[in-house]
């Protein structure tokens, strides 16, 4: 009988295929009352409970051995205040749907990451970010939220009523409760002028402050085993939308960035020694391109190639030195790295567990194609970023524990105090939270 019950458990796995779990059940509440009912039922049965967004974290942060909640039926816009430029939405809404709905009201998110598949609650819970030296991660856009707690009660907090509690809940790693609704500070709808351009890495590093401070959004992708990068600048413009033609869009965005890239990755996986030559071939295909489009469409791109990723938030002042060390380490340790390294910039914030807490930040992301061993490379990168006090992205692979993370977060113990208050029995706990927050 026990064997039958285990066999009937549903299986859930994340997008990258790096983690899977078999929850007791997967439930899709469609109202706040139904969320409360799932939490109460879990408590009555002595089970743990965890919300999974759309599984776009590379870690096991969303895994559970208890009840899993999916909020794909709880994804509507509840209220838009166009005068105040705020919107209150149900937590399961995806960034993509949010962008479409906000645009109907003449509004937009001030910044976003480079995909739009995530749920808003999943994105803020791991401090998902885009790029822009004056802009915080997505969680900094949240000015209020409501959350179902372990005892079934509803907590509401806002920047006006309880900024300190909001500073814990905005990047909560799913450890504090089920976020039910969030209120976002938005901007009037705006277009971005986006310019992609191949450059030399050394030239970019020499001009880094001018590039980062001179553009609302600046980032670059460096291709290991070459000295070339593709840089991207996005700046607000009053110009009307001017996209590439459909055929050209397909060529640039899908074929070069995804399908053709996928083919190159598969060749590299089959013949690892060819990777440096494949990278040199790829950078020859890079070209300058320019579009003007709505901010939401410029921020997000499809991602058809699957990979494993680690990303570190380091002090912005350490960016040039750290990238130099990364480059030297890849050569010295003879890592064969087919995926470009992505470098972005984010403003400091005051959120307790934000990797950008208290310091202007440079994010360095490293990737390995699905099915290839990532650990030796990621561990070497982690040693370099850790030496400058790097903090890992909560949704991306890393090898840290509560002991190594505590000294990197000035308000780590304040977060644990909030957790002890709202979830003393660890109803929302899981193995990942034991690792990064500790077992106590
Ligand atoms: C292809 C790809 C591209 C990416 N690009 C970026 C990027 O540009 N920038 C960046 O910073 N990150 C990026 N990420 C990482 C991604 O944004 C984060 O991992 C994000 O958390 C995923 O959101 P999700 O909805 O899938 O949440 P999940 O991964 O499913 O869950 C993440 C966490 O949120 C919690 N959670 C979800 N919903 C709730 C809720 N209602 N209440 C409480 N907790 C909740 C979960 O319990 C879990 O702890 C990328 C990931 C992929 C796979």
């Amino acid at each position: 009988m026990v064997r039958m019950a285990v066999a009937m458990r549903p299986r859930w796995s994340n997008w990258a295929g790096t983690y899977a779990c078999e929850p007791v059940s997967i439930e899709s509440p469609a109202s706040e009352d139904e969320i409360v009912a799932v939490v109460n039922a879990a408590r009555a049965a002595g089970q743990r409970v965890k919300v999974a967004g759309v599984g776009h974290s590379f870690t096991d942060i969303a895994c559970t051995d208890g009840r899993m909640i999916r909020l794909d039926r709880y994804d509507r816009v509840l209220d838009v205040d166009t005068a105040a430029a705020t919107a209150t939405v149900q937590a399961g809404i995806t960034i993509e749907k949010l962008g479409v709905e906000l645009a109907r009201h003449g509004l937009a998110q001030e910044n976003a990451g480079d995909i739009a598949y995530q749920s808003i609650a999943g994105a803020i819970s791991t401090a998902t970010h885009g790029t822009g030296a004056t802009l915080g991660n997505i969680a900094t856009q949240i000015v209020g939220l409501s959350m179902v707690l372990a005892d079934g009660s509803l907590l509401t907090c806002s920047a006006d009523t309880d900024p300190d509690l909001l500073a814990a809940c905005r990047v909560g790693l799913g450890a504090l409760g089920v976020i039910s609704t969030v209120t976002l500070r938005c901007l009037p709808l705006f277009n971005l002028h986006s310019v992609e351009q191949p450059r030399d890495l050394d030239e970019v590093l020499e001009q880094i402050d001018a590039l980062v401070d001179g553009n609302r959004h600046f980032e670059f992708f460096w291709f290991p085993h070459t000295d070339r990068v593709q840089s991207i600048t996005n700046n607000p413009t009053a110009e009307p939308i001017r996209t590439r033609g459909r055929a050209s869009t397909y060529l640039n965005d899908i074929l070069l960035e995804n399908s053709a890239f996928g083919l190159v990755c598969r060749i590299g996986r089959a013949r690892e020694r060819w990777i440096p030559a494949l990278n040199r071939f790829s950078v020859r295909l890079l070209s300058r391109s320019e579009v003007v489009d709505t901010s939401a469409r410029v921020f997000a791109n499809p991602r058809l190639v699957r990979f494993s990723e680690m990303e570190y938030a380091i002090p912005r002042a350490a960016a040039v030195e750290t990238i130099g060390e990364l480059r030297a380490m890849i050569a010295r340790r003879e890592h064969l790295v087919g995926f470009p390294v992505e470098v972005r910039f984010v403003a400091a914030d005051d959120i307790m567990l934000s990797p950008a807490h208290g310091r202007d930040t440079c994010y360095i992301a490293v990737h390995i194609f699905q099915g290839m061993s990532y650990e030796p490379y990621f561990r070497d990168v982690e040693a370099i970023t850790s030496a400058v006090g790097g903090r890992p992205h909560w949704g991306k692979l890393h090898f840290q524990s509560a002991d190594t993370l505590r000294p990197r977060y000035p308000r780590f113990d304040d977060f644990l105090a909030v957790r002890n208050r709202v979830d003393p029995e660890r109803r929302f706990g899981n193995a990942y939270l034991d690792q990064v927050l500790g077992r106590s």
Side-chain angles (χ1 to χ4, degrees):
M1 206 160 145
V2 171
R3 231 180 301 141
M4 257 189 69
V6 170
M8 285 169 64
R9 281 187 170 214
R11 187 175 166 79
W12 180 90
S13 65
N14 65 353
W15 175 88
T18 40
Y19 284 97
C21 62
E22 294 188 347
V24 171
S25 59
I26 299 180
E27 307 184 35
S28 300
S31 69
E32 205 164 60
D33 286 347
E34 288 180 19
I35 297 173
V36 171
V38 178
V39 172
N40 285 341
R43 192 177 62 254
Q47 295 160 338
R48 299 203 282 189
V49 58
K50 170 91 14 214
V51 195
V54 299
H56 270 56
S57 293
F58 296 84
T59 57
D60 51 344
I61 189 168
C63 285
T64 184
D65 55 8
R67 290 176 186 233
M68 176 174 278
I69 295 178
R70 304 291 317 274
L71 292 181
D72 37 341
R73 293 173 62 224
Y74 195 66
D75 69 342
R76 288 190 303 113
V77 173
L78 297 177
D79 184 48
V80 177
D81 182 338
T82 41
T86 58
T88 301
V89 301
Q90 294 176 335
I93 195 167
T94 61
I95 300 286
E96 183 175 19
K97 182 171 174 186
L98 177 64
V100 171
E101 296 289 329
L102 289 178
R104 279 193 227 286
H105 297 274
L107 296 175
Q109 278 190 272
E110 65 184 31
N111 200 7
D114 47 31
I115 55 162
Y117 306 118
Q118 311 98 320
S119 63
I120 186 67
I124 65 167
S125 296
T126 61
T128 290
H129 62 91
T131 191
T134 59
L135 303 163
N137 67 52
I138 296 176
T140 64
Q141 297 165 21
I142 304 299
V143 294
L145 57 77
S146 55
M147 187 184 264
V148 176
L149 299 182
D151 63 2
S153 65
L154 193 67
L155 173 146
T156 56
C157 59
S158 75
D160 298 332
T161 58
D162 199 339
D164 213 46
L165 191 56
L166 192 66
C169 295
R170 287 196 283 188
V171 179
L173 318 187
L176 304 179
V178 181
I179 298 169
S180 159
T181 64
V182 296
T183 301
L184 295 118
R185 182 189 63 243
C186 304
L187 289 177
L189 199 60
F190 60 104
N191 288 349
L192 285 172
H193 177 210
S194 177
V195 181
E196 291 194 16
Q197 198 174 345
R199 294 171 186 257
D200 277 329
L201 176 60
D202 287 329
E203 173 203 323
V204 167
L205 295 180
E206 272 162 29
Q207 299 170 7
I208 198 77
D209 284 329
L211 290 165
V212 174
D213 295 326
N215 294 286
R216 187 173 192 265
H217 310 269
F218 170 75
E219 70 175 302
F220 67 89
F221 291 86
W222 166 55
F223 288 74
H225 315 293
T226 82
D227 294 325
R228 300 293 282 167
V229 309
Q230 184 78 341
S231 74
I232 304 174
T233 57
N234 297 326
N235 288 294
T237 177
E239 280 183 62
I241 289 173
R242 171 166 46 95
T243 54
R244 294 183 282 253
R246 284 191 63 181
S248 159
T249 301
Y250 184 77
L251 186 75
N252 282 288
D253 293 344
I254 308 294
L255 211 58
L256 290 186
E257 290 180 12
N258 282 293
S259 298
F261 183 52
L263 178 64
V264 170
C265 289
R266 282 196 298 281
I267 296 171
R269 187 169 59 195
R271 296 270 186 280
E272 289 196 30
R273 289 277 144 208
W274 292 7
I275 285 176
L278 289 168
N279 284 13
R280 289 192 289 274
F281 167 75
S282 294
V283 297
R284 286 212 299 274
L285 296 179
L286 298 175
S287 60
R288 189 177 195 281
S289 72
E290 245 181 283
V291 297
V292 175
D293 209 340
T294 63
S295 57
R297 285 203 292 261
V298 168
F299 291 141
N301 289 291
R303 282 286 183 273
L304 308 179
V305 179
R306 303 219 176 197
F307 50 85
S308 302
E309 180 173 348
M310 181 172 80
E311 185 172 42
Y312 260 85
I314 62 164
R316 177 178 157 180
V320 171
E321 177 197 342
T322 304
I323 293 162
E325 287 188 18
L326 177 62
R327 188 185 197 181
M329 179 276 289
I330 290 173
R332 189 177 63 249
R333 301 272 292 159
E334 298 184 355
H335 289 300
L336 295 166
V337 183
F339 255 78
V341 174
E342 186 175 15
V343 180
R344 292 180 277 185
F345 299 87
V346 167
D349 65 53
D350 61 359
I351 299 174
M352 291 180 187
L353 289 190
S354 165
H357 180 95
R359 65 192 193 198
D360 287 335
T361 291
C362 167
Y363 273 96
I364 300 179
V366 293
H367 316 71
I368 288 286
F369 186 45
Q370 195 177 45
M372 296 177 75
S373 161
Y374 59 78
E375 190 168 338
Y377 172 45
F378 286 7
R379 280 194 184 274
D380 282 347
V381 175
E382 187 169 84
I384 291 171
T385 52
S386 290
V388 289
R391 300 166 179 158
H393 188 304
W394 296 111
K396 301 188 183 180
L397 297 162
H398 64 86
F399 308 98
Q400 305 291 343
S401 65
D403 287 345
T404 58
L405 291 165
R406 177 179 275 106
R408 302 178 198 200
Y409 281 93
R411 300 206 62 192
F412 194 84
D413 287 318
D414 293 338
F415 182 86
L416 293 190
V418 174
R419 188 185 190 206
N420 288 338
R421 200 168 79 229
V422 297
D423 187 17
E425 293 177 342
R426 306 294 185 251
R427 186 74 48 215
F428 300 105
N430 66 5
Y432 181 80
L433 294 178
D434 286 349
Q435 176 195 333
V436 299
L437 298 179
R439 284 183 166 275
S440 61

